[in-house]
Amino acid sequence: MWRQLTSHWKLHKYSILLVLASIALYASFAYNLQREDFIKLLTLCIALFFLCYKIIQFQKWNFKFLLGVGVLFRLVFLFAEPNLSQDFYRFIWDGELLNNFKNPYLYLPKVLIEQKDLPIANAQELYNGMGELSPKFYSNYPPLNQLIFALASLLGGKTILGSITIMRISIILADIGIVYFGRKLLKNLNRSPHLIFWYFLNPLVLIELTGNLHFEGVMLFFFIWSLYLLSIDKWKTSAVVYALSILTKLVPLLFLPLFLTHFKFKKSVPFYAIVGITTTILLAPFYSSEFIANYSETVGLWFSNFEFNGSIYNIIKHTAISFFDAKPWELIKAYGKITPIITISIVLLFTFLRDNKNLNTLISSMLFILTIYYFISTTVHPWYIIFLTLLTLFTNYKYAVVWSSAVILSYWAYGQPDFKENLWFLFIEYSSVFAIILYELITQRNKKRLFCKN
């Protein structure tokens, strides 16, 4: 036994030291960081991205080592309260409502909190933790997300930390599932299976999903599982799983039209039917006459009321204000009406102008659609980039991995009054991303030309 440990140390001592350093930094991040301390936050993130790169570089063919390290990093956060996001308070609130047979899509927290007999554990603490905005709006989290919230509330022992721990475990299990199906999908696409660890060990993924309890990871688990099922021609089961992805987060709705040209009309109709039926069955318990209006109103706010880390929108906004004396509140509402039209047009262009029959092409179409959507969006939270980061691993593009590190600059706003953004930081973030995208597009185009000549 001692000889084995000694031998293992000699073979992997540098990697083990890097892992120990990472654990120390993640612990500092989880338990000793105030989000207003941007310098410390930025320093920790830069160090963690460097260590991630070196660990994968040294151990990229050692699956068990990287899997174990990724799980270990996640366990560091297990009992920490999220420090960059307060969304978890609303998650627990919605879960408590559901466990008390109240539809979270029909009740505003600011109204419920006035009831004397409100059957929600820690109601006042949860309400205060949500901040000023969330209590004013109906819940915008899809049904499968709500079920996870309810499970966390049920098993959390009526404590906030208990509910946090249950939610965190579900996110960790989802990430392990992504590694499992992601490696299989990479092999089926004739790509190196170690690439999945650029997701699994990515500091942004660990910080925002495991750390801050965003459920993109659960959505991506179902999404990657669905794509894997497509790769082995189990498209009916894939449709069911794809619906589960939508019912966790709505983003995969963007890609539904692409399946029309992936399957052609004859097979796409039953695929859409299965997605629709699965979605309807899981939506049915929440449905009421007010549900659609409330949910649509809340989702619509993201297009016309909120702004954070936007790129093209910020250019248009500051140009309009500087040269045309535009009013910001009027501009964002007008821009919010145009954005869905542009998004739908882009989706249709990629649907009918690309041959999406091949799974590689289908995934790259998804990548480009989501990238353009984020470029024109008014709000791009750091955890949104995680979807792109995972998608790029199945393509010849890597710009989203770079974006996952550059987006850390947007955290500057977290420590400022009214979340005031630093435009120079946004310029650095997006100029680096645009430059790498341009470089990769030119490189891929040249490779295709060379291949065609040969």
Side-chain angles (χ1 to χ4, degrees):
M1 181 66 177
W2 177 252
R3 286 183 179 179
Q4 288 180 334
L5 289 173
T6 304
S7 175
H8 190 78
W9 167 256
K10 288 180 179 179
L11 285 172
H12 306 290
K13 60 181 178 181
Y14 294 114
S15 297
I16 292 171
L17 290 172
L18 293 174
V19 169
L20 292 174
S22 297
I23 290 173
L25 293 178
Y26 278 123
S28 178
F29 202 109
Y31 300 97
N32 192 30
L33 174 71
Q34 299 296 321
R35 71 178 187 177
E36 293 80 10
D37 190 349
F38 177 71
I39 299 300
K40 181 176 181 179
L41 191 156
L42 183 63
T43 303
L44 286 171
C45 288
I46 291 172
L48 286 166
F49 270 101
F50 173 75
L51 292 172
C52 169
Y53 167 73
K54 297 306 291 184
I55 290 169
I56 295 176
Q57 183 186 43
F58 289 159
Q59 298 288 336
K60 65 181 179 180
W61 304 119
N62 192 340
F63 169 73
K64 291 182 180 179
F65 183 92
L66 294 180
L67 179 65
V69 165
V71 173
L72 190 59
F73 289 167
R74 284 161 171 78
L75 292 178
V76 171
F77 289 90
L78 194 57
F79 302 111
E81 187 173 293
N83 53 9
L84 298 183
S85 172
Q86 57 198 45
D87 292 348
F88 68 95
Y89 289 109
R90 184 60 184 265
F91 299 165
I92 300 171
W93 177 281
D94 283 1
E96 284 284 335
L97 284 182
L98 203 55
N99 285 331
N100 286 281
F101 305 102
K102 288 184 178 291
N103 190 333
Y105 301 116
L106 304 183
Y107 297 94
L108 291 172
K110 70 174 185 177
V111 174
L112 286 177
I113 198 64
E114 296 176 0
Q115 297 181 6
K116 294 181 180 180
D117 58 344
L118 183 61
I120 293 181
N122 309 297
Q124 193 62 54
E125 187 176 352
L126 293 173
Y127 183 83
N128 294 340
M130 290 181 208
E132 295 182 5
L133 283 177
S134 186
K136 300 176 182 177
F137 305 120
Y138 296 100
S139 182
N140 67 325
Y141 304 107
L144 196 54
N145 235 349
Q146 297 288 353
L147 294 177
I148 298 173
F149 302 159
L151 181 65
S153 174
L154 185 66
L155 300 179
K158 298 299 179 181
T159 67
I160 291 175
L161 183 58
S163 298
I164 287 172
T165 303
I166 299 300
M167 286 190 285
R168 188 162 279 141
I169 289 171
S170 70
I171 290 170
I172 292 172
L173 291 174
D175 274 350
I176 294 172
I178 289 171
V179 172
Y180 178 77
F181 287 112
R183 291 181 81 243
K184 285 178 173 288
L185 180 58
L186 284 166
K187 290 177 181 177
N188 290 348
L189 296 175
N190 295 316
R191 300 185 63 78
S192 176
H194 88 274
L195 291 171
I196 198 63
F197 289 106
W198 284 106
Y199 169 87
F200 196 59
L201 297 181
N202 190 303
L204 183 69
V205 174
L206 279 127
I207 290 166
E208 289 293 4
L209 303 193
T210 304
N212 290 299
L213 298 181
H214 296 295
F215 279 81
E216 267 68 14
V218 179
M219 176 264 289
L220 289 172
F221 163 66
F222 291 118
F223 182 79
I224 290 300
W225 183 10
S226 176
L227 291 185
Y228 165 70
L229 291 168
L230 278 184
S231 74
I232 58 174
D233 203 30
K234 293 186 176 180
W235 60 272
K236 293 178 183 177
T237 311
S238 173
V240 174
V241 178
Y242 197 90
L244 297 179
S245 182
I246 293 171
L247 289 165
T248 308
K249 291 279 186 176
L250 298 181
V251 180
L253 276 172
L254 275 175
F255 310 137
L256 275 179
L258 296 174
F259 292 101
L260 184 63
T261 48
H262 177 70
F263 289 124
K264 302 306 181 186
F265 183 77
K266 189 175 181 180
K267 192 183 286 187
S268 64
V269 171
F271 180 87
Y272 290 135
I274 294 170
V275 172
I277 291 168
T278 305
T279 303
T280 302
I281 290 171
L282 287 174
L283 274 176
F286 297 92
Y287 182 78
S288 76
S289 58
E290 300 148 323
F291 164 73
I292 295 177
N294 291 348
Y295 196 78
S296 300
E297 178 187 348
T298 304
V299 172
L301 292 171
W302 290 101
F303 292 99
S304 59
N305 282 65
F306 303 137
E307 55 180 277
F308 180 82
N309 192 36
S311 57
I312 292 175
Y313 168 72
N314 263 320
I315 295 172
I316 293 174
K317 173 186 172 182
H318 289 279
T319 301
I321 292 173
S322 300
F323 296 99
F324 302 102
D325 199 27
K327 304 295 186 292
W329 57 91
E330 294 176 351
L331 178 65
I332 192 172
K333 290 187 180 299
Y335 189 87
K337 293 177 181 178
I338 297 171
T339 303
I341 298 172
I342 297 173
T343 303
I344 292 170
S345 300
I346 290 165
V347 172
L348 293 177
L349 286 173
F350 274 91
T351 299
F352 295 108
L353 297 184
R354 294 196 91 198
D355 183 7
N356 295 301
K357 187 174 183 181
N358 181 276
L359 188 56
N360 286 290
T361 307
L362 176 68
I363 294 173
S364 68
S365 293
M366 292 174 172
L367 175 65
F368 291 134
I369 286 171
L370 192 58
T371 300
I372 296 170
Y373 172 66
Y374 286 158
F375 282 159
I376 65 174
S377 292
T378 60
T379 304
V380 185
H381 288 299
W383 58 91
Y384 292 4
I385 309 305
I386 291 171
F387 200 156
L388 289 179
T389 301
L390 185 59
L391 277 177
T392 52
L393 305 183
F394 303 93
T395 71
N396 294 320
Y397 301 93
K398 296 295 175 286
Y399 62 85
V401 176
V402 176
W403 197 352
S404 71
S405 60
V407 76
I408 301 299
L409 293 171
S410 68
Y411 287 141
W412 164 267
Y414 284 16
Q416 308 306 309
D418 300 321
F419 287 87
K420 183 176 177 62
E421 295 180 295
N422 186 312
L423 294 182
W424 282 109
F425 282 154
L426 295 188
F427 173 77
I428 294 170
E429 173 192 345
Y430 281 105
S431 60
S432 62
V433 173
F434 288 148
I436 292 170
I437 289 177
L438 184 60
Y439 170 78
E440 290 194 327
L441 287 172
I442 293 171
T443 302
Q444 292 302 319
R445 185 177 180 182
N446 291 338
K447 284 182 179 179
K448 288 181 180 178
R449 284 180 176 178
L450 183 62
F451 177 77
C452 291
K453 287 180 181 179
N454 293 336

